[in-house]
Amino acid sequence: MITDARVLQPEFIPREVTHRDAEVNTLSSVLQPILDGNSTDPVFLHGPSGVGKTCIAQFTVERLRENVVDLNHQYVNCWEDYSRFKTLYALLEGINKTIDIHRQSTPRDQLLDRLRDYDGPPYVVILDEVDQLEDKSLLYDLYRIRGLTMILLANNEQGVFADVDDRINSRLANATRIHFRQYHHDELVAILQDRVRWGLNPDVIDTKELDSIANNAAGDARVAIGILRQAARTANAQQMNEISKDVIRKVTPEAKSEIKQKTVDRLTTHQEVLYETITEYGEISPNELYEEYCNRVGDPKTQRMVRNYLSKLEHYNLIEAEGNTRGRTYRTVA
DNA sequence: CCTGACAGCCCGGGAGAAACCA
DNA sequence: TGGTTTCTCCCGGGCTGTCAGG
């Protein structure tokens, strides 16, 4: 059934992409100066999730690498490396300058100094989910580093530019912005067809089934590919020789929740208890939530810390809060 | 009531200096 | 003297109390 499982993985970067020619071309032309060994202004890719931002960014950088002998590059997910330190560390890793940096005890901001001292070939960095970056002023610092080109990825512009000071805003104002719209139904089907061709035996699934996957994915390619992956896996395990509509129907909910589940898995026990409590109640007031949380956990943190956790959960888009004062309620994101 | 911003505490742990010892 | 152990300092990150403001 499955001939190449890699092409069904979320992080897979295809060798050819469809339906994003305009975006690829714009991005490539902005990055043009790199072909001559120069850096260029930041590029900002924005659009909802599952529309190929990460994929296109990495794809374009890969293609750039085919044409430039000397090029360093690094992908950083700011969701994971959200602190200034972690992001900088990841960026230094991309140019192998971390050898003697041992997490702590390096003088404050020596990481940035070291990045400033960089005088190698052009360095292209992709900062994914850049809106999750804790300290946005890092963008300003990075902007001023010679030879460094930033590709910034985020869902919306506000998340990135709203809470940064004018210094950064004016610098990033001349960043080229590329908007990624949601995929249309037949584009999703085409993307799925490619994955099927590259990774599955022929004839295990036909267009009608791909249609229904695309319908369920609502323009989100990550979800669509996730459903396909789960369906293939399930059919494989049950030794079926084709992927039926039934299988697709069965795996769709879990495939959809898989992404959220991944986020939940990264939470600490305390954060998880909060999230579960809110999920069970559907909607709950802050003090009721705190009481319930204390009941459920052996060694409750203070209210203050719980507030930190809650804002983190909100940041991760797992919960949302309504009202800003007395009468505020928390609820899970639909 | 509830929040976000802020300052400050403590902890783990690495580095370099200092102290110690053979 | 040189090698080893201890000490001190620094950092990031988790955590907390306070406080102004809605």
Side-chain angles (χ1 to χ4, degrees):
Chain A
M1 160 97 35
I2 301 174
T3 56
D4 188 349
R6 283 173 307 170
V7 308
L8 300 177
Q9 299 302 321
E11 62 273 7
F12 174 74
I13 307 297
R15 295 199 47 76
E16 49 189 282
V17 297
T18 41
H19 307 302
R20 286 300 187 215
D21 288 344
E23 289 83 355
V24 170
N25 287 340
T26 313
L27 184 55
S28 299
S29 70
V30 174
L31 299 179
Q32 191 81 25
I34 291 170
L35 293 174
D36 305 321
N38 299 312
S39 64
T40 175
D41 277 336
V43 202
F44 184 58
L45 313 189
H46 60 105
S49 59
V51 294
K53 298 186 297 293
T54 308
C55 175
I56 296 304
Q58 302 211 58
F59 170 81
T60 309
V61 170
E62 271 310 304
R63 229 176 47 175
L64 204 56
R65 268 157 43 83
E66 288 167 11
N67 294 306
V68 184
V69 184
D70 254 350
L71 179 68
N72 280 316
H73 67 107
Q74 177 72 312
Y75 170 85
V76 182
N77 190 320
C78 299
W79 204 99
E80 285 159 23
D81 298 334
Y82 54 88
S83 74
R84 182 186 177 87
F85 182 87
K86 282 183 177 160
T87 305
L88 279 170
Y89 192 86
L91 291 180
L92 286 168
E93 259 177 348
I95 47 175
N96 297 317
K97 295 268 191 170
T98 53
I99 314 108
D100 55 342
I101 291 184
H102 293 289
R103 284 198 171 67
Q104 285 87 24
S105 86
T106 27
R108 183 180 281 278
D109 259 351
Q110 190 189 310
L111 281 73
L112 185 61
D113 287 341
R114 197 173 289 217
L115 208 53
R116 282 206 188 97
D117 291 342
Y118 175 69
D119 62 348
Y123 187 22
V124 181
V125 303
I126 300 172
L127 298 181
D128 204 347
E129 306 194 49
V130 66
D131 51 320
Q132 299 288 327
L133 203 57
E134 210 170 56
D135 176 13
K136 301 283 198 310
S137 70
L138 177 62
L139 296 179
Y140 177 72
D141 294 325
L142 293 178
Y143 179 86
R144 300 196 304 166
I145 288 177
R146 215 165 33 84
L148 185 85
T149 299
M150 291 190 278
I151 302 177
L152 308 174
L153 276 53
N155 288 346
N156 56 44
E157 309 185 45
Q158 292 85 352
V160 186
F161 299 105
D163 55 336
V164 301
D165 62 58
D166 297 340
R167 225 172 25 146
I168 313 171
N169 260 328
S170 66
R171 297 303 177 123
L172 295 179
N174 47 358
T176 308
R177 292 159 198 234
I178 305 177
H179 177 71
F180 282 64
R181 56 161 179 79
Q182 288 214 313
Y183 288 111
H184 298 135
H185 176 86
D186 40 344
E187 292 173 337
L188 274 188
V189 173
I191 289 171
L192 289 172
Q193 269 164 347
D194 280 341
R195 302 296 166 112
V196 170
R197 200 170 65 236
W198 298 329
L200 301 181
N201 281 324
D203 303 329
V204 298
I205 186 165
D206 60 272
T207 316
K208 224 162 53 214
E209 272 70 47
L210 295 183
D211 261 341
S212 82
I213 293 181
N215 281 334
N216 280 310
D220 188 327
R222 197 183 332 181
V223 171
I225 293 168
I227 296 173
L228 179 61
R229 178 177 61 248
Q230 291 277 21
R233 203 184 281 158
T234 305
N236 202 34
Q238 297 178 6
Q239 289 167 3
M240 304 165 147
N241 44 21
E242 60 178 17
I243 298 173
S244 66
K245 242 189 178 104
D246 276 347
V247 174
I248 292 171
R249 195 166 38 236
K250 206 165 63 197
V251 302
T252 297
E254 50 186 289
K256 276 186 171 176
S257 63
E258 191 184 32
I259 294 163
K260 183 162 286 183
Q261 190 54 45
K262 255 178 150 173
T263 311
V264 174
D265 286 346
R266 284 148 135 175
L267 301 176
T268 67
T269 327
H270 290 267
Q271 293 165 343
E272 221 176 306
V273 170
L274 285 167
Y275 178 66
E276 277 168 13
T277 308
I278 296 171
T279 314
E280 280 172 35
Y281 277 71
E283 192 164 334
I284 189 169
S285 72
N287 69 333
E288 197 180 354
L289 173 59
Y290 186 67
E291 276 176 31
E292 185 59 33
Y293 157 79
C294 289
N295 289 337
R296 293 188 183 199
V297 77
D299 50 340
K301 309 283 184 191
T302 60
Q303 299 213 35
R304 186 62 194 82
M305 198 54 201
V306 166
R307 287 220 298 280
N308 285 347
Y309 290 157
L310 288 171
S311 64
K312 196 150 216 174
L313 294 180
E314 207 181 342
H315 211 52
Y316 293 165
N317 219 13
L318 289 169
I319 65 168
E320 55 191 17
E322 188 171 2
N324 221 358
T325 169
R326 191 192 309 257
R328 175 181 250 228
T329 54
Y330 290 103
R331 75 167 86 88
T332 41
V333 169

